[in-house]
Amino acid sequence: MSTLDGMFEKLKGCWRGPELPRGHLGMQITVLFSFKRDGELLGRPRITFETPGASDTDSIAYRTAVMETLQRCSPMPFSGGLGDAVAGRPFRVRFDDRRNQPKPVERKAWLSPKIL
């Protein structure tokens, strides 16, 4: 792999969200981590954000899913150049798993017919 886009696509492919009960809204979680030149994780990843008001059960389930994602994806198959470029640099990745969130309803007031 020789691009950051490739790295993020691989992370996306490794993501497996936790099983959610029917009607559950899901949540967002952000993790901060770094890689070594050889694609292994450097140090321990750190959770920097979770959806406010998430239950402890949801929080643990999503933290586990994020850590399993990073384990599945490492070591990253970096090319020599990309490995040199990313080694030790922090990456902050947000996993947005609000899969059951209701879609916002767009109001099209400007398209409403005007009757005089």
Side-chain angles (χ1 to χ4, degrees), residues 75-88:
M76 282 281 189
F78 292 142
S79 65
L82 184 60
D84 289 342
V86 302

Side-chain angles (χ1 to χ4, degrees), residues 12-23:
K12 184 178 176 182
C14 292
W15 169 250
R16 306 283 183 275
E19 292 294 322
L20 297 177
R22 186 170 174 81

Side-chain angles (χ1 to χ4, degrees), residues 16-87:
R16 306 283 183 275
E19 292 294 322
L20 297 177
R22 186 170 174 81
H24 193 282
L25 297 179
M27 64 181 274
Q28 296 180 58
I29 188 167
T30 303
V31 62
L32 179 69
F33 60 93
S34 298
F35 288 109
K36 298 177 187 176
R37 281 184 177 83
D38 64 1
E40 290 286 341
L41 286 171
L42 175 64
R44 287 191 312 182
R46 186 174 56 160
I47 302 299
T48 60
F49 174 81
E50 294 176 323
T51 298
S55 70
D56 289 342
T57 303
D58 290 345
S59 179
I60 290 168
Y62 277 92
R63 285 174 179 246
T64 301
V66 166
M67 296 309 160
E68 288 174 349
T69 296
L70 294 174
Q71 287 175 350
R72 270 192 290 279
C73 275
S74 65
M76 282 281 189
F78 292 142
S79 65
L82 184 60
D84 289 342
V86 302

